[in-house]
Amino acid sequence: MNLIDLTIAQLHEGFKKKQFTSAEVTKAYLDEIKKTDGEIGAYLNITEKLALEQAEKADKIISSSKNFPMLTGVPFCVKDAILVEGEKATAGSKMLENYVAPYDATVIRKLKELGGVILGKTNMDCFGFGSSTENSAFKVTKNPHDTSRVAGGSSGGSAAGVAAKESCWALAEDTGGSIRQPASFCGVVGLKPTYGTVSRYGVYAYASSLDQIGPMGRTVEDVVTVFKAISGKDPMDATSVDYEFKEVNVAMKGLKIGVPKEYFAKGINPEVETIIKQAIKKAEEAGATIVEITLPATEYALACYYIIAPCEASTNLARFDGIKYALSEPGDNLLDVYLKTRAAGFNAEAKRRIIIGTHALSSGYYDAYYKKAQEVRQLVREDFQNAFEKVDVIFAPVSPFPAFKIGEKTDDPLAMYLADIYTISLNLAGIPGISLPAGKIGKLPVGLQIIGNHFEDNKILAVAEHMEKLLQ
Amino acid sequence: MISKEEVLHIAKLARLELTEAETKKMQKDLTAVLDYFDILKKAPKVGAKKLNGDGKNVLRKDVAIQKPASLANNLVQAAPDKKDNYIKVKAIL
């Protein structure tokens, strides 16, 4: 038995039966990271000392109690946008290269209380700005299925870490597709929960009305376990809501599945389309009813997102001024410190988004861009509201194409933005979506996106568990 | 094409110093992205009432939340320039 092959549920059983210890599992992962991460580049910082301490603590809990939480002793990795006290939190940027987190994010606090083991911090596009992890200030994460290709982004490190068995599961964050798209590219399960179900306290804010923390894992069951553990109201995040995960029984027989016609209109890779259509057919054979639906605002969603997200980002990133955080470039006066620090700390994509956002919010342009985008956001919400009056869940692709070659899209920001075309609408509407491995094009995994209405995360996870079996 | 002056004006508002090459590239990229945003002109209009219909303010009581003293210390330590337990800044006036 190879310890790094086991899921959360299998590790939990093994701990219970005293087949192995958390320290042994943790060491097995640390060894694997040392062996393979030179090539993959999933991690920015391996928190070995912390991991071994936490494993020792977990083993004490395991040996002294019969009923311990599912996540006790289970090693995981954390996107570098999420704070772990005393460890560096770079957000993939030069700006925060030497920034040490002053406190734990709420999700980290919860996972520490449950006895989780943190293996390290994973690579990402700088501040979440990107769809390939090529915008990291430090390195490009490679796709474990084909190292000439990207792992997706912005949570590419987390997805590659799970796919390469350098971690049992991962914490990530999704603003426009940053959990689902890399999960699709790397062939793991990734959940972007309903906005408000998981506290955002202690994650670097990119676009506060869109950001959502969520889990990645090897199975739907593992993702459910983590989501149960991290969700719920947090006084430190005013947008978090009173939410408690409840299991639901959903039968495939009689389930109404919506398929948006706009998502198969143009630009989709034909092999991706075939895999998604085959998955839909399997659902139909299992008794589900397939309903064609329409989401007419889809053609505006990308433009809407690329106004709202940079507007919020340009505001959120104003805090990086050379005064409160790690990097500070010397200047003659205060303004000079701001200008020089921000010039040195932000990469090209961050600068591009700050400029787009500032322009869209500037006097004379606000109505044409920001206000118009808010209107379109409402249209996107209404599309989904209308759809969920007719169907239970929606099936769609995650990305129009599988993992692309490293460097293929770096010179063309608009081509890169298209990687998020099927995922961004969910963030605009605040609804949940999961990426489930559905098939492969050669070596390259393709994810099926299962979309639900607000707070029906349990429903899409239940459907995903059925689909996981049907797609095996 | 967005002019050089416009880019520099926005960069000034954003407190970003751009090099000559970055400014040129930004003119090109910003123009392409803004051209793409033109698609929104075709989108149907939404009434103001509908737009502000959902969502509500969430307020907390205006009381201090107890936090360990170590947190304040960690926050100050994370700043690049400090003296004693204070963050040091350049003269503002």
Side-chain angles (χ1 to χ4, degrees):
Chain A
M1 175 175 50
N2 198 342
L3 295 177
I4 60 170
D5 289 338
L6 304 179
T7 65
I8 295 174
Q10 289 165 334
L11 284 175
H12 183 72
E13 276 308 300
F15 291 148
K16 257 188 171 166
K17 292 181 183 149
K18 313 272 186 263
Q19 286 169 328
F20 41 74
T21 65
S22 172
E24 284 164 1
V25 177
T26 303
K27 278 178 198 148
Y29 273 116
L30 291 168
D31 285 349
E32 187 68 13
I33 294 168
K34 277 170 206 158
K35 216 161 65 195
T36 57
D37 203 49
E39 195 188 0
I40 303 294
Y43 284 86
L44 289 175
N45 175 21
I46 300 155
T47 56
E48 181 163 354
K49 192 168 159 274
L50 175 68
L52 293 172
E53 280 168 15
Q54 288 177 325
E56 199 185 321
K57 232 163 112 185
D59 280 328
K60 279 189 189 138
I61 298 171
I62 291 166
S63 62
S64 64
S65 61
K66 274 203 192 88
N67 284 314
F68 50 89
M70 287 294 288
L71 292 169
T72 307
V74 178
F76 67 103
C77 59
V78 181
K79 185 179 185 178
D80 210 24
I82 300 170
L83 304 186
V84 177
E85 185 177 341
E87 301 295 340
K88 276 187 194 173
T90 70
S93 73
K94 278 271 169 223
M95 183 65 88
L96 295 163
E97 189 171 5
N98 296 308
Y99 187 70
V100 176
Y103 57 90
D104 280 329
T106 296
V107 284
I108 296 297
R109 178 181 57 74
K110 287 186 172 191
L111 291 163
K112 280 184 175 175
E113 283 167 8
L114 293 171
V117 175
I118 299 169
L119 293 166
K121 305 296 294 291
T122 54
N123 197 20
M124 57 182 284
D125 288 296
C126 148
F127 293 108
F129 301 157
S131 310
S132 65
T133 321
E134 290 167 295
N135 286 331
S136 163
F138 306 109
K139 59 183 170 190
V140 178
T141 299
K142 316 284 194 322
N143 192 309
H145 298 274
D146 176 352
T147 51
S148 70
R149 291 175 186 266
V150 301
S154 66
S155 314
S158 286
V162 175
K165 295 190 177 166
E166 295 176 4
S167 180
C168 181
W169 66 272
L171 265 187
E173 182 272 335
D174 188 311
T175 303
S178 288
I179 290 175
R180 291 158 287 157
Q181 186 256 32
S184 173
F185 281 14
C186 291
V188 300
V189 183
L191 171 71
K192 184 213 90 80
T194 301
Y195 184 78
T197 52
V198 180
S199 168
R200 292 180 293 109
Y201 179 68
V203 60
Y204 288 120
Y206 160 9
S208 310
S209 76
L210 305 164
D211 296 345
Q212 191 59 72
I213 293 177
M216 289 178 179
R218 299 195 199 143
T219 62
V220 178
E221 184 187 28
D222 280 4
V223 164
V224 171
T225 301
V226 179
F227 181 54
K228 269 187 203 164
I230 61 174
S231 52
K233 174 108 182 133
D234 176 15
M236 299 306 285
D237 175 3
T239 61
S240 69
V241 294
D242 240 329
Y243 174 84
E244 200 190 333
F245 182 89
K246 287 192 187 77
E247 306 265 359
V248 280
N249 275 324
V250 179
M252 290 304 284
K253 198 170 163 50
L255 185 77
K256 285 202 228 69
I257 299 173
V259 178
K261 66 172 189 197
E262 290 82 2
Y263 286 24
F264 297 91
K266 56 176 179 192
I268 186 168
N269 172 310
E271 287 172 285
V272 171
E273 182 171 354
T274 304
I275 288 172
I276 302 303
K277 292 238 161 108
Q278 277 168 354
I280 293 168
K281 194 153 181 283
K282 284 201 169 155
E284 193 174 17
E285 284 162 7
T289 310
I290 309 301
V291 184
E292 191 188 75
I293 57 165
T294 171
L295 302 171
T298 298
E299 67 170 311
Y300 311 118
L302 195 68
C304 172
Y305 175 86
Y306 276 100
I307 292 172
I308 290 174
C311 283
E312 294 188 25
S314 71
T315 317
N316 276 324
L317 267 57
R319 75 193 63 190
F320 300 112
D321 57 2
I323 307 293
K324 301 182 287 296
Y325 296 87
L327 185 75
S328 187
E329 292 291 318
D332 296 336
N333 52 47
L334 191 63
L335 181 62
D336 216 30
V337 173
Y338 293 162
L339 293 171
K340 293 204 156 56
T341 301
R342 291 165 67 78
F346 291 135
N347 67 1
E349 186 60 26
K351 286 175 188 170
R352 195 180 289 133
R353 295 203 192 189
I354 290 171
I355 292 284
I356 294 168
T358 307
H359 179 72
L361 288 173
S362 66
S363 173
Y365 295 97
Y366 175 87
D367 280 356
Y369 296 118
Y370 187 73
K371 197 163 159 246
K372 187 70 199 170
Q374 291 295 354
E375 283 183 26
V376 172
R377 186 173 187 173
Q378 181 58 24
L379 297 174
V380 171
R381 279 194 204 109
E382 285 171 14
D383 276 1
F384 283 111
Q385 271 166 18
N386 294 336
F388 286 119
E389 278 170 21
K390 295 185 204 88
V391 299
D392 299 304
V393 294
I394 296 171
F395 277 18
V398 175
S399 182
F401 34 72
F404 45 88
K405 291 264 182 201
I406 291 167
E408 190 182 317
K409 296 183 195 289
T410 39
D411 282 339
D412 185 351
L414 277 172
M416 185 73 90
Y417 296 171
L418 282 171
D420 300 330
I421 188 105
Y422 305 131
T423 47
I424 48 168
S425 294
L426 281 71
N427 300 74
L428 290 170
I431 56 176
I434 188 167
S435 174
L436 181 74
K440 279 186 174 179
I441 303 172
K443 289 185 283 185
L444 304 175
V446 171
L448 164 73
Q449 188 172 210
I450 304 175
I451 305 168
N453 208 349
H454 291 111
F455 305 109
E456 293 190 344
D457 308 62
N458 52 358
K459 197 193 263 183
I460 58 168
L461 286 161
V463 173
E465 285 205 273
H466 285 300
M467 288 307 297
E468 193 175 40
K469 287 186 199 111
L470 293 174
L471 292 166
Q472 259 170 12
Chain B
M1 185 81 152
I2 300 290
S3 71
K4 185 180 164 188
E5 287 68 34
E6 277 176 281
V7 169
L8 291 175
H9 167 68
I10 297 299
K12 194 179 152 203
L13 291 175
R15 302 282 190 262
L16 266 183
E17 194 173 78
L18 298 178
T19 64
E20 189 71 29
E22 281 177 324
T23 309
K24 258 202 185 130
K25 178 88 167 59
M26 204 65 84
Q27 277 179 265
K28 190 175 142 264
D29 290 350
L30 189 61
T31 305
V33 171
L34 294 180
D35 284 349
Y36 179 69
F37 291 165
D38 273 348
I39 192 172
L40 295 182
K41 287 182 185 151
K42 288 198 311 178
K45 291 210 183 319
V46 175
K49 200 176 161 204
K50 221 172 176 185
L51 191 57
N52 302 319
D54 42 0
K56 59 178 191 312
N57 287 322
V58 180
L59 303 169
R60 65 166 174 82
K61 289 214 172 81
D62 188 16
V63 288
I65 300 167
Q66 287 296 323
K67 289 275 171 187
S70 60
L71 176 61
N73 181 54
N74 289 351
L75 287 164
V76 173
Q77 288 312 312
D81 200 4
K82 58 239 161 201
K83 194 179 175 191
D84 302 327
N85 224 5
Y86 295 95
I87 293 170
K88 217 171 137 188
V89 293
K90 288 242 178 246
I92 289 166
L93 293 172

